[in-house]
Amino acid sequence: MRERVCGKPNCKCRRGTKHVSLFLSRSKDGKIEQLYIPKNKEELVRRWVQNYRDVQQLLEKISSLYWNRLKEKG
């Protein structure tokens, strides 16, 4: 989430209530890429990010299982 002030002179953000926007970021080829997520896509993107985290966690569990099997067999 990123807070910002827009260019409208009489907007509420000039008085302290900043606009909040969601951005998705990733590292690619050593550079950080950021992508603005519109309000109507926020829930969907949050689910995608959670799915990604869940998959990463499952891969870690699988990796640990195989690691331990290899250690036990010596």
Side-chain angles (χ1 to χ4, degrees):
M1 300 295 275
R2 194 181 292 169
E3 294 181 348
R4 63 182 178 77
V5 177
C6 73
K8 297 177 185 176
N10 295 323
C11 185
K12 65 180 180 178
C13 67
R14 297 276 183 189
R15 296 183 300 277
T17 307
K18 295 181 180 178
H19 300 285
V20 178
S21 301
L22 183 66
F23 284 80
L24 188 63
S25 61
R26 71 175 182 173
S27 177
K28 184 177 179 186
D29 300 327
K31 295 181 180 180
I32 301 292
E33 293 182 329
Q34 295 184 358
L35 181 64
Y36 166 73
I37 306 301
K39 289 263 186 236
N40 66 335
K41 300 280 190 217
E42 284 185 11
E43 186 177 329
L44 179 64
V45 171
R46 287 180 192 278
R47 280 198 315 263
W48 289 348
V49 169
Q50 187 58 53
N51 289 344
Y52 173 82
R53 290 178 178 154
D54 292 346
V55 167
Q56 290 294 106
Q57 191 175 29
L58 288 171
L59 286 172
E60 282 298 320
K61 286 181 182 180
I62 291 168
S63 177
S64 290
L65 286 171
Y66 282 106
W67 179 274
N68 290 333
R69 283 184 186 178
L70 286 171
K71 276 178 43 178
E72 290 170 1
K73 291 181 180 187

